[in-house]
Every structure is written in C-alpha cells, then in structure tokens.
Amino acid sequence: MRTRLTPVTTLTILIGVITLFVMGCSGSHDTPAPGDRSTAPGPASTAQANRTVAVDVPAASRTTGFRAPGSAPGTIDVGFVDLKVDGRLTTLTVVWTPKYTDAPRDKEISVFDMFGAHSPAVALVDSVNLKRYVVVQDSRNIELGASGPRTKTVNNTPVSASYTFAAPPADVRTLDVYADDRLLFDDVPVGR
C-alpha cells in the first residue's frame, strides 16, 4: 500500500532538508578557520563575551606612542615590525596597542577606534626623492591593508596589521612611516 504525500507535507519536508543543508554548510563565523587572516595578518587577539584569544604577535624593533584622540584618556603605542619589498610590492607590518586608562578589560577596541572613529591613512614617504606611497587597491578599489574597523584587540594587548604599497626604486634604502599626518617612524630601512 502506497501513501501519497500532500503538497503541504512535501513542502514542509523540502524546507526542512534545505534548512539542515544550509546550517551544515555555514559554520560558525566566530572562530576563524586555521590560517584564516581575514581581519589582518597576524591579529593579536579578539575578545567576545568573557573570551580572549591571543594569537602570535610579531616583535617590534621600534616603538612610539601618541595620545589617544578625542576624549578617551590614554595612549596608543605603535611598534614597527617590518618593511619588506617583494617584487613590485612593499609590505609594512606594524603593531597597534591601545592603552586606555579606564577601558573595560574585555571591551574590543579597533584601529578605527584608536584613531577617533576613522581608519588611519597609512603612507610611506621617501623624503629624499619627495615621493609618497599610499596603500595600493585591488581591482574592486579595496585597499590591500588591515581594515581599521575589523582589526581589533582589547586594552593593553597588541594587534598586528600589514599594509601593501608599490615598491620604491632599488636605490631607496629608507622610508618614513606616517598614519594620517602623524610621523610614526623616520628612516625605516627597506628590506629587500
């Protein structure tokens, strides 16, 4: 004896199967897959509700700091990690560390926040040949650099960020590093 399914029953089963399939294909977006570097190359940490995950942060060879913008009491430390030419591109890696005096320990702080609600315009300046290098963009006009809003950490915890520029000529041995109009590091050696 065969049982015929009503159109409503068939539709309900079909919706259930599709829902289960979609749920199985879309994993949790809270935990990045191994090797996922969507926020920024080498993020220092992310914090979400009682959870802080520390990831390897490269060591800085030079550091500087500036007063946190706006009304937030504290400072922002910046560490220089590397400036390396690879073919026609140059990659700058820095470490941002917010040091607010009254920020909650587990509150996420982005680079966007560290610059008073805007993403810093990171640039390299050749002060000898008077040239400025800005972060390059891909074919969709998206900058090849760490996203200010998505590069996050918690107070007193560093987060690394990388920015990609056109390579300077081979005779350029040092460059200055700027964020907006603020000089962060001068005479940084260009690794080749």
Side-chain angles (χ1 to χ4, degrees):
M1 176 168 155
R2 296 182 81 180
T3 306
R4 286 183 61 129
L5 298 175
T6 65
V8 172
T9 305
T10 305
L11 182 60
T12 303
I13 292 171
L14 183 61
I15 289 173
V17 169
I18 290 172
T19 302
L20 288 173
F21 179 75
V22 169
M23 288 174 62
C25 289
S26 67
S28 169
H29 296 292
D30 292 338
T31 305
D36 180 17
R37 299 197 182 267
S38 59
T39 38
S45 67
T46 57
Q48 293 179 352
N50 301 329
R51 169 173 78 98
T52 300
V53 179
V55 180
D56 292 336
V57 176
S61 60
R62 292 167 63 178
T63 58
T64 189
F66 55 91
R67 191 174 78 66
S71 60
T75 60
I76 308 299
D77 284 356
V78 188
F80 169 76
V81 176
D82 196 22
L83 181 63
K84 188 149 183 92
V85 172
D86 184 12
R88 297 174 54 193
L89 298 174
T90 301
T91 303
L92 167 71
T93 304
V94 295
V95 178
W96 304 105
T97 307
K99 294 190 173 182
Y100 296 109
T101 56
D102 60 356
R105 193 170 70 141
D106 61 347
K107 180 183 184 295
E108 284 188 335
I109 302 169
S110 68
V111 173
F112 183 84
D113 299 327
M114 293 180 219
F115 279 84
H118 81 275
S119 294
V122 178
L124 303 175
V125 174
D126 176 356
S127 58
V128 174
N129 298 309
L130 302 179
K131 291 192 177 185
R132 181 181 192 94
Y133 296 89
V134 296
V135 176
V136 296
Q137 297 179 345
D138 66 12
S139 59
R140 295 179 294 157
N141 295 325
I142 297 172
E143 288 187 347
L144 299 180
S147 164
R150 289 192 318 244
T151 305
K152 298 177 182 181
T153 186
V154 292
N155 202 29
N156 296 308
T157 304
V159 62
S160 69
S162 293
Y163 304 89
T164 304
F165 306 86
D171 63 338
V172 175
R173 295 198 174 6
T174 63
L175 293 168
D176 299 336
V177 178
Y178 281 81
D180 295 333
D181 60 352
R182 177 180 282 115
L183 174 64
L184 298 177
F185 304 103
D186 62 349
D187 296 324
V188 171
V190 178
R192 295 189 186 268

